[in-house]
Amino acid sequence: STKGFAIPFVLAPARVRREFGPNVMSASVSTLLQLALLGFQMLEAAGQQAGTLQPEVHPELWLQECTGSGCEKHKNCIVLDANWRWVNKGGQNCYTDQDTWDPTFCSDLAACASTCDVEGADYASTYGVTADSSNNDVSLKFVTKGAYSTNYGSRLYVMDGEETYKMFKLKNREFTLDVNVSNLPCGLNGAVYFVEMDSHSDLDGEGNTAGAKYGTGYCDAQCPHDIKFIKGEAN
């Protein structure tokens, strides 16, 4: 089955939860928010299209898997949740400043998903996400002033390659992580948790051409109604 548990890393205001995840492993995340994550996810993905204006380059994250005979390092990477990404049609915003869909591109909810593209991410400059593969660290900043906008928070997932989420099989196993919140101020929620997701994020090459590579497929019960796509349709 392609279903399983994945890990999201999240840094957000206290009223919003954000995520990440790994296996029987250990890692550490540094600076503002350090996380060594082990995750397990199983999600139903949305039908977003992959953008072409910004290349998607996933930061590295090394994890360790340990048995009775020792530990072995594995090269993984992280991906930014699609909800933070620029959604556009030919360089024009599909989502307005009023947090609503532009009717020019979204005559109905299904049209938004088939017409609008989810762009690649400039992780450090736009979203404040940096990775130090030598120390197995990922750092998340809450406020990042980019060239075109100011970004707040982030949600990341552990990848098992460039196209699939890392699935964690945790039965009769354990996981460890190190978190440095020494510079995390009051009023913010830095969270690591497991979410049920499809490993490919329901990538089908038609309705969903973005898939896990662009961080699609998250669905969770939250008070803020801020998830742009659910099950292949605009929300």
Side-chain angles (χ1 to χ4, degrees):
S1 171
T2 61
K3 298 290 186 178
F5 288 100
I7 275 189
F9 294 96
V10 177
L11 180 59
R15 65 184 181 85
V16 180
R17 195 178 73 176
R18 308 290 184 190
E19 357 161 355
F20 232 112
N23 200 359
V24 175
M25 308 176 179
S26 69
S28 79
V29 185
S30 72
T31 310
L32 178 61
L33 179 62
Q34 293 185 331
L35 308 171
L37 307 174
L38 303 171
F40 193 86
Q41 291 179 317
M42 190 177 178
L43 252 70
E44 297 299 335
Q48 297 98 307
Q49 306 304 303
T52 59
L53 301 180
Q54 171 71 41
E56 176 63 16
V57 180
H58 298 136
E60 291 183 7
L61 176 66
W62 286 79
L63 305 177
Q64 293 187 74
E65 185 164 1
C66 302
T67 64
S69 59
C71 296
E72 182 177 353
K73 293 184 68 174
H74 296 274
K75 181 180 177 180
N76 299 90
C77 55
I78 54 177
V79 63
L80 179 73
D81 188 291
N83 218 48
W84 269 258
R85 297 171 182 269
W86 182 31
V87 181
N88 73 94
K89 174 63 176 177
Q92 299 185 57
N93 291 330
C94 286
Y95 209 64
T96 71
D97 292 339
Q98 288 71 43
D99 293 334
T100 58
W101 293 104
D102 189 332
T104 303
F105 309 112
C106 300
S107 56
D108 56 46
L109 300 182
C112 286
S114 62
T115 302
C116 297
D117 299 334
V118 179
E119 285 300 331
D122 185 337
Y123 283 80
S125 298
T126 302
Y127 299 101
V129 175
T130 55
D132 183 348
S133 59
S134 63
N135 294 320
N136 305 326
D137 289 348
V138 174
S139 177
L140 313 182
K141 292 183 179 180
F142 179 54
V143 180
T144 303
K145 293 183 178 180
Y148 304 103
S149 63
T150 299
N151 178 74
Y152 296 90
S154 58
R155 179 164 60 226
L156 307 171
Y157 305 103
V158 176
M159 301 286 287
D160 188 11
E162 292 296 319
E163 303 289 343
T164 57
Y165 293 128
K166 176 70 176 176
M167 298 288 105
F168 295 94
K169 311 300 182 181
L170 300 181
K171 185 176 181 180
N172 297 324
R173 310 181 80 181
E174 65 180 38
F175 68 90
T176 66
L177 60 87
D178 298 323
V179 181
N180 179 352
V181 294
S182 58
N183 293 318
L184 189 66
C186 295
L188 294 182
N189 176 19
V192 179
Y193 57 96
F194 294 115
V195 175
E196 185 180 18
M197 300 178 74
D198 178 82
S199 62
H200 291 89
S201 191
D202 291 344
L203 177 71
D204 60 11
E206 297 177 2
N208 185 352
T209 63
K213 181 178 181 178
Y214 289 82
T216 69
Y218 180 77
C219 187
D220 191 12
Q222 298 188 40
C223 293
H225 298 170
D226 63 348
I227 298 179
K228 294 184 176 71
F229 293 93
I230 296 177
K231 288 292 294 178
E233 291 187 353
N235 183 29

